[in-house]
Amino acid sequence: MLEINNLHAQIDNKPILTGLDLTVPTGEIHAIMGPNGAGKSTLSYVLAGRAGYEATEGTAALDGHDLLTLPPNERAALGLFLAFQYPVELPGVGNANFLRTALNAQLRARGEPELDALQFLKRVRAEMKRLSMTDDMLKRNVNVGFSGGEKKRNEVLQMALLKPRLAILDETDSGLDIDALRIVADGVNAQRGPDFSALVITHYQRILEYIVPDRVHVLAAGRIIRSGGPELAFELERDGYARVIADAA
Amino acid sequence: MQSATSSFLARFEGLKSRLPGDLDVREAACERFGATGLPSRAIEAWKYTSLKPLAEISFAEPLSDASDIDPAHLPGFIALLPDFDLPRLVFLDGRFRADLSVLPELATVTNFAVAPRLGPFREGTLDALNTMLAEDGAVINVDPGVDAGTLLLVNLAQDTRGRPVAFHPRHRIRLGAAARLELVEIALGEGIYLHNPVFEIEVGDEARLTHLRLQNESLHAFHLASVHAQVGRDAVYDSFTLTLGSRLARVEMDVRLAGTGGTAHLNAAQMLAGEQHGDFTTCVLHQAKSCGSRQTVKNVLAGHSRGVFQGRIEVARGADKTDGYQMNQALLLSPDAEIDSKPELEIFADDVKCSHGATVGALDEDQLFYLESRGIDGKTARAILVRAFIAEALEKLTLAPDSEAVIRAYLDARIEAGFERIAA
């Protein structure tokens, strides 16, 4: 379960989050929608622990563990996964090696046995088969020369492999065509279960047709200003952010 | 400035009656070296590298003789030697140790002390110093058409009870037409010493020499190496130099592409920290048509270290269809590290493709965060990115299938240890 209380955060001394409260119970998928500049990406980076995104007040905890004092890798080992809006290219780093290093680092941090090359290959191939991906993605360098859709698929593969407790999807739908969107959505839906929760951060309602959220929250000016069921996404789509924000004020 | 220079000249006077080979060539080298001494930074080619720390040291002759060190008393650092089962030529303080060596079956090997051949006389100061004082070295011949496999050339060094020593091995490697050899050179040591090797290399027509140089000297040592290679028609000289050790290193590579269709790779990586200084200086002479040369030089610099790359490509008149490429990149892990890069292209032919480039930067924050967000700790993430940065200079290296896995594993382990050291 993710619990955020009164979270304030700033970048370069500029306040972005201004008292954000949010609870995502385990097993649920919540969406955060908001206009540009509302603090959507900041929220995901603050939770994941990116340098430069400074929490100045409040708390954020995953399954009772305080996140804000931990380095990013330890947050990942607790089960936090951030799917990037723009997955980063790593020239010279083989994808298979990267995935195995990441998986083993998390297993080690949790005191579980690591996978050798063969065990890993078996595991990753099984996940890829489930996601209808080809092996060829393993042989390439991480995200180098990948199309936008391939990069997002690689994010989904990482999520499937690392089996997070909480996945944050930061505008994963941006720049995706319908087919790629469906693959990403299928990947998330495949993780759905009593031990998995997700925070889908998006500007548009479209992705929520494929990943149906349990709750929808509206983020504006650094705070959650309204929460509701899946129908709230359609209301936003119909009336626009300005109207919903004005009504909430 | 006279301390090292005078100790070298005095040593020559004392030794010359006992030195092997043509004394006239040695006298000429002595005259050349005596006239200028060690090069100063006033000389253009030495603008970025000062030999001052070396010049202040008086170097003695190593005491160890071919027979007087029990293998059981060899220093602990030889544990760094790969334990794989390959023929090896081992030198201790520049002197051949038959008892520690395993001769190859398919190459003819003797040592310089037995078969001295100096010259042709070269103008460079480092060459002159070596020519004056060379006592030993490897002389390797591979007959035409023979694939001699992989051969290790190991140089172990140590100062003598705290006294700095200097040695000047002279190596000569010759591949006949269509011959092949993979030479893996490893330099290891302890204490203060000067290792000043000269390589004279001939790669015959259609022959292929892979020359892997792993310089892992003592951090108090000086490594001043010169490699002269002549590459024949459709022949390949494929080299990779890894500079990890020594307080001050300068590697001069001078390669002549003398026959049509020849190829030279002068790739390198330097991983330096503290006050280390690493200089990789090359000159590729394209003398014949349709030759290619590639130089990818990667520098990973921490602390107050300084990396230097000077790369010169000369394309002679008539050397059409030349393809020359040069790239120098530096990753600065500290604000106090420095890189100096000087490309020089001199082109006298038409229809030539020559390019060069240089980049300098720090580790990419986005890449680091991406790795860390997947559960990889910061230090490992940095190591992965450093390894990836170096990979491009390594990927061109062709290794013999039989030994490729062990050599690459050894190389990876050295790079990893290098990163551990400079990241500390």
Side-chain angles (χ1 to χ4, degrees):
Chain A
M1 177 155 80
L2 175 70
E3 283 178 284
I4 303 173
N5 286 307
N6 189 33
L7 183 62
H8 288 67
Q10 60 183 31
I11 313 168
D12 296 332
N13 292 320
K14 191 179 156 221
I16 308 285
L17 300 183
T18 56
L20 187 142
D21 295 302
L22 177 70
T23 301
V24 183
T26 308
E28 292 188 10
I29 291 184
H30 288 203
I32 290 200
M33 300 185 70
N36 290 327
K40 298 195 298 292
S41 283
T42 298
L43 174 61
S44 57
Y45 285 147
V46 169
L47 292 177
R50 181 168 197 151
Y53 289 76
E54 189 195 346
T56 50
E57 208 185 320
T59 58
L62 180 61
D63 299 329
H65 301 280
D66 177 19
L67 291 174
L68 300 178
T69 54
L70 300 176
N73 59 302
E74 290 180 26
R75 301 183 194 200
L78 286 176
L80 183 94
F81 179 86
L82 172 63
F84 280 54
Q85 183 178 3
Y86 302 107
V88 179
E89 298 188 5
L90 302 176
V93 182
N95 207 17
N97 207 13
F98 162 68
L99 294 171
R100 187 172 148 223
T101 306
L103 179 59
N104 278 340
Q106 294 202 16
L107 290 172
R108 194 175 336 127
R110 295 198 286 260
E112 295 169 35
E114 298 178 37
L115 301 188
D116 66 27
L118 227 59
Q119 292 168 318
F120 166 77
L121 223 55
K122 214 175 143 186
R123 171 99 164 256
V124 75
R125 286 207 170 114
E127 294 295 350
M128 293 182 92
K129 202 173 165 193
R130 287 212 309 171
L131 297 165
S132 346
M133 294 182 193
T134 55
D135 264 17
D136 132 282
M137 210 178 234
L138 287 181
K139 295 175 194 132
R140 293 157 70 182
N141 285 339
V142 180
N143 295 329
V144 178
F146 284 29
S147 69
E150 284 176 322
K151 284 181 181 172
K152 299 288 166 78
R153 272 194 229 192
N154 202 27
E155 296 291 286
V156 169
L157 173 63
Q158 291 170 47
M159 183 177 67
L161 202 61
L162 296 171
K163 303 244 177 298
R165 297 273 300 161
L166 171 77
I168 302 170
L169 290 94
D170 182 11
E171 311 239 5
T172 296
D173 48 336
S174 65
L176 286 192
D177 60 31
I178 287 293
D179 293 343
L181 190 62
R182 200 166 274 155
I183 286 165
V184 169
D186 288 349
V188 176
N189 289 330
Q191 303 302 314
R192 263 196 145 130
D195 296 326
F196 175 81
S197 55
L199 199 53
V200 181
I201 295 177
T202 181
H203 187 88
Y204 301 104
Q205 173 267 341
R206 190 180 68 161
I207 191 174
L208 303 180
E209 289 174 22
Y210 300 92
I211 306 172
V212 179
D214 296 292
R215 299 280 292 164
V216 175
H217 310 274
V218 181
L219 176 64
R223 300 170 50 230
I224 302 292
I225 56 158
R226 204 178 140 190
S227 300
E231 70 286 350
L232 181 52
F234 294 96
E235 188 185 328
L236 283 165
E237 188 77 6
R238 191 186 64 224
D239 299 343
Y241 282 113
R243 170 86 176 273
V244 174
I245 292 168
D247 286 353
Chain B
M1 281 289 281
Q2 285 314 302
S3 190
T5 299
S6 49
S7 70
F8 294 137
L9 292 170
R11 190 155 129 215
F12 177 62
E13 283 308 312
L15 264 181
K16 67 180 180 187
S17 58
R18 287 181 286 135
L19 285 170
D22 187 341
L23 192 58
D24 289 345
V25 177
R26 298 213 190 239
E27 293 279 10
C30 176
E31 205 169 300
R32 164 77 179 80
F33 182 75
T36 57
L38 290 168
S40 80
R41 291 183 58 192
I43 298 166
E44 181 63 22
W46 289 85
K47 191 173 154 188
Y48 301 113
T49 296
S50 166
L51 291 181
K52 200 153 177 281
L54 167 80
E56 287 163 355
I57 295 171
S58 175
F59 287 98
E61 184 185 350
L63 285 178
S64 58
D65 203 339
S67 54
D68 70 358
I69 289 192
D70 185 325
H73 293 109
L74 284 169
F77 59 78
I78 65 164
L80 290 174
L81 268 182
D83 60 357
F84 35 81
D85 183 24
L86 288 168
R88 60 183 68 190
L89 308 177
V90 178
F91 288 78
L92 179 62
D93 300 339
R95 288 163 182 160
F96 183 60
R97 292 284 304 239
D99 57 327
L100 302 175
S101 301
V102 180
L103 296 184
E105 282 173 22
L106 296 169
T108 318
V109 170
T110 171
N111 54 322
F112 175 86
V114 177
R117 192 184 133 183
L118 291 159
F121 179 68
R122 294 179 201 273
E123 278 294 313
T125 319
L126 299 183
D127 285 292
L129 177 60
N130 178 283
T131 301
M132 188 168 91
L133 291 169
E135 287 178 63
D136 211 344
V139 181
I140 303 165
N141 268 292
V142 185
D143 287 335
V146 172
D147 182 347
T150 304
L151 175 61
L152 305 184
L153 176 60
V154 180
N155 195 87
L156 308 173
Q158 55 187 345
D159 51 18
T160 304
R161 291 180 212 102
R163 274 201 79 186
V165 299
F167 45 91
H168 314 265
R170 186 77 162 209
H171 305 296
R172 192 173 172 78
I173 296 134
R174 238 165 114 180
L175 272 64
R180 287 175 85 99
L181 176 67
E182 178 176 310
L183 186 69
V184 179
E185 187 195 339
I186 300 171
L188 298 168
E190 253 173 21
I192 304 173
Y193 57 86
L194 164 65
H195 182 194
N196 166 224
V198 167
F199 289 83
E200 293 174 304
I201 295 172
E202 278 175 54
V203 189
D205 294 345
E206 296 173 41
R208 175 179 197 107
L209 175 65
T210 298
H211 188 187
L212 182 56
R213 310 193 65 238
L214 305 177
Q215 193 268 77
N216 206 3
E217 309 270 21
S218 150
L219 291 172
H220 306 287
F222 300 88
H223 179 93
L224 302 175
S226 305
V227 178
H228 306 283
Q230 170 153 324
V231 181
R233 177 181 47 78
D234 294 322
V236 179
Y237 175 64
D238 181 12
S239 77
F240 176 80
T241 299
L242 179 63
T243 296
L244 298 171
S246 79
R247 168 182 177 184
L248 192 163
R250 165 131 160 163
V251 177
E252 293 185 4
M253 288 203 142
D254 126 61
V255 175
R256 192 137 51 105
L257 292 161
T260 306
T263 300
H265 294 162
L266 310 183
N267 298 323
Q270 310 200 94
M271 299 177 80
L272 309 174
E275 304 290 328
Q276 281 185 288
H277 181 107
D279 175 340
F280 191 67
T281 291
T282 66
C283 177
V284 180
L285 180 55
H286 283 260
Q287 281 187 320
K289 285 187 180 32
S290 304
C291 291
S293 64
R294 293 189 76 81
Q295 303 173 61
T296 299
V297 178
K298 302 274 185 167
N299 302 273
V300 183
L301 306 174
H304 289 81
S305 66
R306 189 169 178 189
V308 176
F309 172 67
Q310 305 185 102
R312 187 176 163 80
I313 300 177
E314 282 179 45
V315 182
R317 195 156 282 131
D320 296 335
K321 309 267 182 220
T322 284
D323 185 356
Y325 172 84
Q326 199 178 76
M327 177 56 79
N328 181 36
Q329 296 183 306
L331 197 53
L332 303 183
L333 301 183
S334 127
D336 300 315
E338 185 181 326
I339 178 79
D340 295 292
S341 186
K342 191 174 88 173
E344 276 182 284
L345 305 182
E346 220 176 76
I347 300 170
F348 294 105
D350 308 318
D351 192 10
V352 162
K353 202 167 86 185
C354 265
S355 64
H356 66 87
T359 65
V360 184
L363 283 174
D364 186 294
E365 292 293 334
D366 289 342
Q367 295 181 337
L368 272 177
F369 176 61
Y370 192 62
L371 288 162
E372 290 182 77
S373 76
R374 297 303 180 245
I376 298 167
D377 68 273
K379 192 177 165 198
T380 306
R382 286 192 292 280
I384 288 172
L385 294 180
V386 165
R387 180 72 185 74
F389 174 75
I390 290 175
E392 198 197 339
L394 265 172
E395 71 193 9
K396 285 278 176 284
L397 187 72
T398 317
L399 294 167
D402 293 352
S403 55
E404 170 147 24
V406 277
I407 303 276
R408 288 223 187 252
Y410 181 70
L411 204 51
D412 284 347
R414 302 304 354 125
I415 290 171
E416 205 178 306
F419 176 78
E420 285 288 323
R421 182 178 64 81
I422 69 171

